[in-house]
């Protein structure tokens, strides 16, 4: 299994829809997980951190399933401005946990 | 506002001509990272500094070097850029002991073109 694997995408959804992305990881010892958002030709920006079973911030909910080793990101009431690539990120399984492994990203386009 | 700053934002260099990219941070984070990101790919870690301790990735070419003269600044030197080194170079920081140890914060990146 790859260290981090994400839904291939792309996802094209209408404004107002609910969309969910899944991500699986191989490092069973990971204690922290992240979702980053990256706009075209810009830097990744931290969207959510997950240190326990999940996290919620407004329209965004991240859930962690340790038994199955997957993390999901749910976006409710999608806005046009949510269009971006979403990167699932977990600490590396070898070396220092401060080294992160980035998934290849899932592209989301919210359509008017 | 505390932030990560990269200069220049765009850099054009000639094949084989050394180039230096710079990164500075006002977050007072003790860890600084350099990533390379090519189009439609995930960021790839080149190396990182934990304080003054340099940590190179096993697959980072010798062509890439780094310096960290103080907590705030970090430089990426590409000694002899090839066409394959054209990419976005991202600097990131994280603060161990802050309670959010593994959260990394990125600068805006430097887009390198090699002609």
């Amino acid at each position: 299994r790859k260290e981090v694997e994400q839904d291939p995408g792309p996802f094209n959804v209408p404004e107002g829809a609910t969309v969910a992305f899944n991500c699986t990881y191989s490092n069973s010892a990971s204690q922290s997980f992240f979702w980053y958002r990256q706009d075209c030709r810009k830097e990744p920006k931290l969207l959510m951190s997950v240190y326990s079973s999940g996290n919620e911030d407004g329209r965004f909910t991240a859930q962690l399933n340790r038994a199955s080793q997957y993390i999901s990101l749910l976006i409710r009431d999608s806005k046009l401005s949510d269009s971006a690539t979403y990167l699932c990120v977990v600490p590396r399984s070898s070396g220092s946990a401060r080294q992160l492994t980035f998934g290849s990203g899932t592209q989301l386009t919210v359509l008017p | 506002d505390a932030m990560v700053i990269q200069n220049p934002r765009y850099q054009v260099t000639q094949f084989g001509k050394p180039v230096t990219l710079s990164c500075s941070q006002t977050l007072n984070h003790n860890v600084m990272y350099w990533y390379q990101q090519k189009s439609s790919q995930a960021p790839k870690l080149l190396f990182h500094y934990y304080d003054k301790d340099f940590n190179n990735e096993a697959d980072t070419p010798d062509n890439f070097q780094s310096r960290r003269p103080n907590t705030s600044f970090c430089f990426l030197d590409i000694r002899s850029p090839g066409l394959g080194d054209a990419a976005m170079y991202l600097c990131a920081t994280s603060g161990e002991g802050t309670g959010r140890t593994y959260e990394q914060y990125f600068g805006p990146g430097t887009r390198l073109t090699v002609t």
Side-chain angles (χ1 to χ4, degrees):
Chain A
R1 176 189 260 184
K2 285 185 179 179
E3 286 211 53
V4 182
E5 205 153 7
Q6 294 188 237
D7 282 347
F11 285 69
N12 298 313
V13 303
E15 215 174 348
T18 295
V19 62
F21 308 137
N22 287 328
C23 169
T24 57
Y25 62 93
S26 62
N27 182 10
S28 59
S30 290
Q31 297 296 311
S32 52
F33 308 86
F34 309 98
W35 284 99
Y36 279 77
R37 170 201 169 118
Q38 186 170 27
D39 292 285
C40 187
R41 299 175 73 84
K42 296 286 183 69
E43 75 274 24
K45 291 186 177 177
L46 182 63
L47 178 66
M48 297 189 79
S49 304
V50 184
Y51 294 101
S52 57
S53 61
N55 193 4
E56 184 172 334
D57 182 6
R59 297 182 294 110
F60 298 84
T61 301
Q63 290 188 320
L64 170 63
N65 184 319
R66 289 189 188 274
S68 302
Q69 293 181 218
Y70 80 80
I71 320 144
S72 63
L73 177 68
L74 182 78
I75 305 175
R76 289 180 296 276
D77 188 23
S78 300
K79 311 291 184 191
L80 296 177
S81 57
D82 294 334
S83 298
T85 297
Y86 291 83
L87 302 166
C88 173
V89 184
V90 304
R92 191 178 293 183
S93 55
S94 61
S96 168
R98 73 175 77 99
Q99 293 159 289
L100 302 178
T101 298
F102 285 76
S104 55
T106 300
Q107 188 176 346
L108 170 67
T109 301
V110 180
L111 304 169
Chain B
D1 286 343
M3 56 178 64
V4 182
I5 302 160
Q6 290 188 245
N7 286 302
R9 296 291 307 279
Y10 301 90
Q11 176 74 58
V12 180
T13 191
Q14 293 177 335
F15 182 95
K17 186 174 181 181
V19 66
T20 295
L21 310 182
S22 74
C23 177
S24 63
Q25 53 124 344
T26 60
L27 296 161
N28 203 31
H29 282 170
N30 54 346
V31 191
M32 294 186 77
Y33 309 78
W34 279 105
Y35 289 85
Q36 178 192 66
Q37 187 176 27
K38 297 187 177 180
S39 183
S40 302
Q41 295 183 18
K44 179 181 179 300
L45 183 64
L46 295 174
F47 25 60
H48 76 278
Y49 276 94
Y50 178 77
D51 291 326
K52 293 183 179 180
D53 183 24
F54 177 70
N55 298 270
N56 199 24
E57 293 297 296
D59 58 354
T60 297
D62 292 340
N63 198 25
F64 292 86
Q65 304 285 317
S66 187
R67 298 169 281 136
R68 188 179 186 186
N70 54 52
T71 300
S72 302
F73 284 87
C74 196
F75 299 98
L76 169 62
D77 300 308
I78 309 176
R79 293 194 295 190
S80 182
L83 297 178
D85 296 329
M88 172 81 95
Y89 289 88
L90 294 160
C91 174
T93 72
S94 67
E96 299 211 353
T98 64
R100 296 186 174 274
T101 298
Y102 306 124
E103 293 179 357
Q104 293 186 16
Y105 297 89
F106 286 82
T110 295
R111 187 164 297 279
L112 178 69
T113 301
V114 182
T115 62

